[in-house]
Amino acid sequence: MKEPLPLSANVTSEYEKNGYISIETMCPPEEVQEIRQTLLRMFENRTGYNEGAQYDFSGRDDPDKPQTFPSLHDPSHYAPELLKTQYHKRALAIARQLLGEDAALYGEHALLKPARVGPETPWHQDEAFRSPDFEYRELSIWLALQPVGSVNGCMQFIPGSHKQDVLEHRSPGYDKALHPLECCADFPRDQAVPVPLPAGGCTIHDMRTLHYTAPNSSEAPRLAYILIFNVPPTYKPGLREFPWLEGRRTDSQLRKREWHRRGGIAVEVMRRLPRARLTNGKWMAWAAIRAVSKVWNRPR
């Protein structure tokens, strides 16, 4: 017997209309705490820092100073149990309902906004970080690991913004050593909709949906764990140009390059190959190469 779809027709219709939805309960409370403790431990130990996987999202990396906005890419590389959770299982089912049966995990991202000082994440579209030579179908599932609201930086969205093209972006202060991108085009910021969540709740948004999170001015850290799913992108060279990506060189990229030179490339191959894709029944060599060599910058 076929399992029932995780989302109702009304909810999927809302996603198609607005470019985002929210779910109050994505996984059980005990799992929320397990995920939270696992991620906090990795941030405390600076797991993945020397490989370029952990970095300061809002500023330059300095190993002798506290990070203002710690970020960790693909934490399951260091804690495989994260992909054995109810959260992952349910997220995959939702992604396949919204994107199709070919949907699979593209990557993960953990973001920690420290108490009182955690900065904002600028308005942006996720696709602005990706190669302009591909067409994508992708979504992100943003899990709150404690209650979130306007005080500690819940997600905010511009409804319907996923229906427009990728808008112009830039590096904050035009400093291409920083990780974030910010949308510098005109859009109706006054239409922003904050989405508060309980611990274990999540938002789901399209990669073109404009979104933002405010600074964390609360007395507790704000931690989020994001899973990104897509179907195999379609290669279309010369499709468009993203000049804001040209010349970006972050500290974490330099560390990752040095780690590869020290032999980390073999580890990267073993980690990334399971996520390389089959498209139209043929093995895509470029997919494997990109999976190994990419430096993935995906803010939330």
Side-chain angles (χ1 to χ4, degrees), residues 113 116-121 149-153 212-218:
K113 289 196 178 188
R116 299 180 296 279
V117 297
E120 71 173 9
T121 302
S150 57
V151 174
N152 64 347
Y212 162 91
T213 63
N216 178 15
S217 58
S218 76

Side-chain angles (χ1 to χ4, degrees), residues 74 77 104-106 264-278 283-294:
D74 293 325
H77 287 171
L105 184 68
Y106 172 72
I265 189 67
V267 178
E268 192 82 352
V269 168
M270 297 303 294
R271 289 173 176 171
R272 298 291 182 186
L273 279 179
R275 291 180 187 173
R277 296 304 196 87
L278 291 171
W283 178 254
M284 303 289 285
W286 60 263
I289 294 170
R290 281 170 56 83
V292 169
S293 64
K294 73 174 183 174

Side-chain angles (χ1 to χ4, degrees), residues 227-247:
L227 298 180
I228 300 97
F229 295 88
N230 68 9
V231 297
T234 303
Y235 183 49
K236 291 190 175 182
L239 177 67
R240 53 197 171 168
E241 295 182 354
F242 290 173
W244 52 85
L245 295 181
E246 297 172 6

Side-chain angles (χ1 to χ4, degrees), residues 108-231:
E108 317 146 68
H109 202 181
L111 289 163
L112 177 64
K113 289 196 178 188
R116 299 180 296 279
V117 297
E120 71 173 9
T121 302
W123 282 105
H124 68 279
Q125 296 164 293
D126 293 339
E127 194 172 345
F129 287 85
R130 303 289 294 280
S131 168
D133 290 335
F134 292 82
E135 284 186 344
Y136 304 92
R137 291 183 61 232
E138 183 174 301
L139 59 79
S140 295
I141 302 180
W142 191 99
L143 179 70
L145 294 170
Q146 68 290 298
V148 293
S150 57
V151 174
N152 64 347
C154 68
M155 291 283 277
Q156 299 186 36
F157 301 99
I158 304 295
S161 54
H162 65 303
K163 296 178 181 179
Q164 57 192 347
D165 293 334
V166 177
L167 304 178
E168 183 180 359
H169 285 65
R170 67 185 172 206
S171 296
Y174 298 97
D175 185 351
K176 292 195 172 184
L178 300 180
H179 283 273
L181 290 175
E182 60 183 0
C183 182
C184 54
D186 290 331
F187 62 92
R189 295 168 188 255
D190 60 338
Q191 295 181 13
V193 178
V195 184
L197 294 168
C202 75
T203 60
I204 303 166
H205 70 269
D206 183 89
M207 71 183 308
R208 285 196 183 180
T209 304
L210 279 159
H211 56 287
Y212 162 91
T213 63
N216 178 15
S217 58
S218 76
E219 296 299 314
R222 190 225 70 179
L223 182 60
Y225 180 35
I226 301 99
L227 298 180
I228 300 97
F229 295 88
N230 68 9
V231 297

